[in-house]
Amino acid sequence: MQIPRAIATTVAATAMLVASIGAAAPAVAAGPQGNLILIGGALNENAQILQRIVRDADPDGSGPARARIAIVTAASVPATSAAEASDPTASNAAANGLYYADLFARFGADTYRVPVDISVDYAGDPYVPANADSAAVAAEVRASTGVFLSGGDQSRYVQSLLDCAPAPSGAFTSCTDTPVLGAVRSVLDAGGVVAGSSAGQTIQQGADMVTGGESYEAWRYGAYAGTGIGADDLTYLPYGGFGFFDEALLDSHFGTWGRQARLIALADETGHDLAVGVDETTALVYDRATRVGEVIGVHGVSVLDLYPADIVGTRAEGVRWSYLVDGDRIDFATLAVTAGAAKRTGAGTGTGPGVKRDIWDSPNGSGGTYSMVTQAKSLVASSASVAQGTTWERNPRYRTYLDRVAATRWWSTGGFESLEISFIPE
C-alpha cells in the first residue's frame, strides 16, 4: 500500500520546517532528472508529440548539437526473415526500428536502432536477446540523449530488457536491469528524455504493471498475477515495469478502449491510491524533478484517485476522476490541477445525457470508443448532477454512476476534475 497522502503531506511540511530553521541543516540531494513522455498509443505521427520528444532530447537547444534518440522496439513481434525485417510495410521489431528511425530523422534527430528482441529467428538475425547484455550496444544507448520505446506487448520488454527470477505464469517479483536497460536509465538520470507509446508507455511504471484484460472481467472475476491466465482476464506483473514513473499505476489506450473500470479494479487489488490512464494520440509529459505533468495531444489523460473511495467486493463508490486535456497540468505532489482554460463551478446548461449502454466499451459490445469520457463531458457541461451507463454484459450487469459533487470543476476545452465514479452490480 502506498503511503497515504495525508501522511506524505505531513512529512513534506516537516521537511520544509527543518530546512527553514537555519543554514546548519544538511544539504538535500538532488532529485531525479529527466523527462518522461508517456503516450497512450496510436502516435499517428502527431507533430506536437514528436517535436516535444526531439526538443526535450536536444542537448543544447538551438545550438549545433542534435538530439540522438535510441529506438527500442523489443515489444514488437520478431521478424521471421531478412526480407520481413527490411520490409517498411511490415510490423516487427526490425521493421519498426527502420520506421521510427526515418520518422525521428524527419523531425531533426539522429537515431540509433537498438537491436534487441525476444528471440533469434533466422540466420544472421541482428535483433537478438543477447544484445541486451552487449557492452557495445549499451554504450550506443548511453551515448544518446533520448530513448523511444515503441508499442506492442509490454511483457516482451520484461522478457528482453530485464533479468527476472523464474515465477509461475510470468508473475515475476524479482528482476534486475540488463546492461542495455541500465544504459536507458542512465540517459534519463543524466537529464535526457524517455518517451514511449502504448506498451512503451505502460512499461515505464513501477510495481503491479497491467499485462492484459478487459474491464468487465476485471470486476466479474478479479485480478491475477502473471500473464496469459485468460484472454480477457485482468492480469498484472507484481514486479512491475522499469520504474521510471512511480507516481501511480499506468495504462494506455485508456478512454479509447474504456479502461477506467479495469484500472480501478487493478489499483484496488494491488493497494494503489492513484492511477493514470493516457488516451491515444495524447501524451503526459512528466518532469521527474518537479513532479509536474503536462498534457499534450489530441484527447486526454485520466487521473483516478481511490483514496476517498469506498470499494468492497465488486462494488465501488466515490472514485475521484480528473480528465486533463491539451495545455492542462497536474502537480503530483499535491494533485492540484492547473487548467489551460478558466475553471467553472456548478452546473452548465441543458439536459444531461441519457443512460449509455456499453459504457465500458466492451470488445463484444456496440459502445464504440470513448463512451465514458463522452458521457462525463456531456454531464459536466449540462444542468444535470448525475449520468449513468450500463455494461454490455449481464449476469451481473454493472451500472456506472458519474456524479457531480461540490469539488467538481470543468472547463471549456473538455477537461474536468473531481467527478465521482461508482460501479454497482445489479
Side-chain angles (χ1 to χ4, degrees):
M1 176 69 74
Q2 295 177 327
I3 298 173
R5 277 189 292 282
I7 297 175
T9 302
T10 301
V11 171
T14 302
M16 292 176 64
L17 177 61
V18 170
S20 68
I21 291 175
V28 178
Q33 301 299 305
N35 280 3
L36 305 177
I37 299 182
L38 306 168
I39 308 160
L43 177 57
N44 291 338
E45 301 191 4
N46 181 273
Q48 182 186 16
I49 297 173
L50 288 163
Q51 287 167 352
R52 184 61 178 266
I53 296 170
V54 174
R55 190 196 83 179
D56 285 3
D58 192 325
D60 61 356
S62 58
R66 287 161 57 99
R68 184 179 195 264
I69 298 175
I71 298 168
V72 186
T73 54
S76 302
V77 296
T80 59
S81 67
E84 189 177 283
S86 61
D87 181 354
T89 65
S91 180
N92 58 67
N96 290 347
L98 292 169
Y99 166 76
Y100 282 112
D102 175 72
L103 181 60
F104 281 108
R106 283 189 268 141
F107 281 84
D110 296 326
T111 60
Y112 170 68
R113 288 175 284 131
V114 180
V116 175
D117 66 18
I118 61 171
S119 61
V120 180
D121 292 276
Y122 58 92
D125 185 359
Y127 276 68
V128 296
N131 281 339
D133 297 313
S134 165
V137 173
E140 291 281 4
V141 174
R142 196 172 291 108
S144 302
T145 56
V147 178
F148 179 77
L149 306 167
S150 73
D153 184 340
Q154 54 264 33
S155 297
R156 293 194 190 104
Y157 277 131
V158 175
Q159 296 172 53
S160 59
L161 294 179
L162 285 166
D163 289 324
C164 299
S169 302
F172 303 116
T173 58
S174 177
C175 303
T176 57
D177 289 359
T178 61
V180 164
L181 180 55
V184 173
R185 201 176 300 278
S186 71
V187 171
L188 184 61
D189 290 342
V193 59
V194 174
S197 180
S198 188
Q201 175 247 58
T202 306
I203 192 64
Q204 297 190 49
Q205 71 176 59
D208 304 317
M209 178 184 72
V210 65
T211 54
E214 298 295 338
S215 283
Y216 181 80
E217 285 73 15
W219 283 92
R220 181 71 174 81
Y221 303 112
Y224 305 90
T227 60
I229 304 298
D232 294 326
D233 289 340
L234 175 59
T235 56
Y236 68 98
L237 180 64
Y239 175 82
F242 297 159
F244 300 153
F245 182 82
D246 60 4
E247 301 284 5
L249 293 184
L250 279 176
D251 207 349
S252 60
H253 303 278
F254 196 64
T256 322
W257 294 355
R259 287 179 164 173
Q260 295 90 345
R262 145 173 141 163
L263 193 57
I264 291 170
L266 180 59
D268 178 60
E269 172 74 22
T270 56
H272 291 262
D273 286 338
L274 203 66
V276 172
V278 185
D279 293 347
E280 293 182 352
T281 326
T282 306
L284 177 67
V285 181
Y286 174 72
D287 185 320
R288 296 205 306 163
T290 65
R291 298 181 63 192
V292 172
E294 173 192 358
V295 178
I296 61 175
V298 176
H299 297 290
V301 172
S302 293
V303 179
L304 300 169
D305 183 3
L306 279 71
Y307 187 73
D310 182 17
I311 302 178
V312 179
T314 59
R315 181 186 185 100
E317 297 183 77
V319 176
R320 292 289 177 97
W321 178 19
S322 295
Y323 187 75
L324 283 60
V325 296
D326 186 57
D328 296 342
R329 294 173 179 267
I330 181 168
D331 183 341
F332 281 97
T334 63
L335 296 188
V337 172
T338 302
K343 291 184 181 181
R344 300 184 60 175
T345 63
T349 59
T351 58
V355 176
K356 171 63 180 174
R357 182 74 188 278
D358 196 14
I359 195 169
W360 291 0
D361 292 329
S362 168
N364 300 315
S366 59
T369 57
Y370 292 101
S371 293
M372 196 179 299
V373 171
T374 300
Q375 195 79 335
K377 287 183 176 183
S378 297
L379 169 63
V380 295
S382 76
S383 60
S385 59
V386 62
Q388 298 183 44
T390 63
T391 56
W392 178 263
E393 300 87 349
R394 297 173 178 268
N395 299 319
R397 181 171 69 179
Y398 287 85
R399 187 170 293 269
T400 295
Y401 294 88
L402 302 176
D403 288 284
R404 186 198 307 273
V405 296
T408 303
R409 303 289 183 268
W410 56 284
W411 41 99
S412 61
T413 49
F416 56 83
E417 63 179 330
S418 295
L419 194 67
E420 286 197 352
I421 302 177
S422 299
F423 304 136
I424 311 295
E426 296 181 349

